[in-house]
Amino acid sequence: MIILQRTEDMTQWSREQRARGKRIGFVPTMGFLHPGHLSLVEFAKIQGRCSQTVMSIFVNPTQFGPNEDFEKYPRDFERDRKLAEQAGIDALFYPAADDMYEKFARTFVEVEGMGKVMCGVTRPTHFRGVTTVVNKLLNIVEPHVAVFGQKDAQQFLIIKRMVQDLFMPVEVLMAPIVRENDGLAMSSRNVYLNPNERKDAVCLSQALNIAQAMIAHGETHSTRLTDAMRMHIEKHASARIDYIAIVDTENLLPILQIQKSSLIALAVYIGKTRLIDNIIIS
Ligand code: AMP
């Protein structure tokens, strides 16, 4: 595995691979890798969409709000390097913040509307930071295919919109959520949870399971589904709901009744840690 830090070295590597007829699959991450991240690499390979894989590790400052966890976000490059190598990554891109955002940088990319709902209500500048950095990364890496996790479904749908709107020459794929044995969606932020919070954290996936079971029994009303989810989560002492949303996957607008391609998503504070989870009904 080659480690590349400079943006121009990354681009040069990709262009050499392309010249040799290779297809490049790209997995952007913020590091502190867990099996959820590594599953994205497998997903790209299994789909047969690429012959070379690039992973980036970059804790992107512009997607954190002023009072968020940018400083304390878990980082361990040595550990990540080993895990990436074991996962069979060909190139690990590990840029410096000053390179990604040089002193006079002024350009942001924003998908209007979709970034202001759901997670965008409590994190109003988050998705602008995500779309900006993903745009930069795609321009630097020039992959044929980029893989994102359903764990961040709103992020994926916004990136897909951006790629389509800007005619970006890349295929974007969404890989399924990888969960702990009890159902908690894997996340680098799970390390913040103390043992009691860790127990309560399972209420997110349990609430989604409750909604899914109700839908299987014919329930379609969004309010009845969200009420049942809310009731379940509120039984957990350390849980405080940020939002529960049932929306159309195309535009993230709320829907009154479940329809084909609905996203049920939620964000819940467990103690001070904000966790997200979702299911897509299709
Ligand atoms: P992050 O490092 O949190 O920015 O995540 C990098 C990528 O990994 C994003 O596309 C996430 O959606 C994806 N990801 C994070 N956690 C999971 C998970 N539990 N299952 C699947 N994908 C995930």
Side-chain angles (χ1 to χ4, degrees), residues 100-109 128 132 136:
M100 292 296 284
Y101 295 94
E102 58 111 324
K103 205 162 59 180
F104 300 111
R106 282 291 171 275
T107 308
F108 284 89
V109 179
R128 181 178 94 142
T132 300
K136 287 174 188 264

Side-chain angles (χ1 to χ4, degrees), residues 27-40 56 58 63 73 147-153 155-156 159 173 175-180 184-189:
V27 174
T29 80
M30 297 204 298
F32 210 68
L33 301 177
H34 55 67
H37 293 118
L38 303 173
S39 76
L40 306 183
S56 62
F58 180 60
Q63 70 190 67
Y73 194 83
V147 188
F148 300 86
Q150 185 191 322
K151 162 82 194 325
D152 301 273
Q155 165 176 289
F156 174 77
I159 290 169
L173 299 179
I177 303 178
V178 177
R179 300 178 177 281
E180 303 287 356
L184 174 66
M186 289 189 182
S187 163
S188 307
R189 289 191 168 98

Side-chain angles (χ1 to χ4, degrees), residues 135 139 159-170:
N135 215 295
N139 285 337
I159 290 169
K160 201 170 123 193
R161 184 78 257 153
M162 170 184 79
V163 164
Q164 203 170 328
D165 287 355
L166 299 181
F167 299 93
M168 297 172 76
V170 61

Side-chain angles (χ1 to χ4, degrees), residues 203 227-237 239-241:
C203 74
D227 283 352
M229 292 170 72
R230 189 174 300 279
M231 259 176 55
H232 177 74
I233 293 167
E234 284 172 352
K235 287 180 198 152
H236 297 77
R240 182 169 59 82
I241 297 170

Side-chain angles (χ1 to χ4, degrees), residues 264-280:
I264 308 184
L266 73 170
V268 178
Y269 289 93
I270 302 291
K272 287 196 173 130
T273 307
R274 186 175 172 283
L275 300 180
I276 56 171
D277 202 347
N278 70 83
I279 49 172
I280 293 176

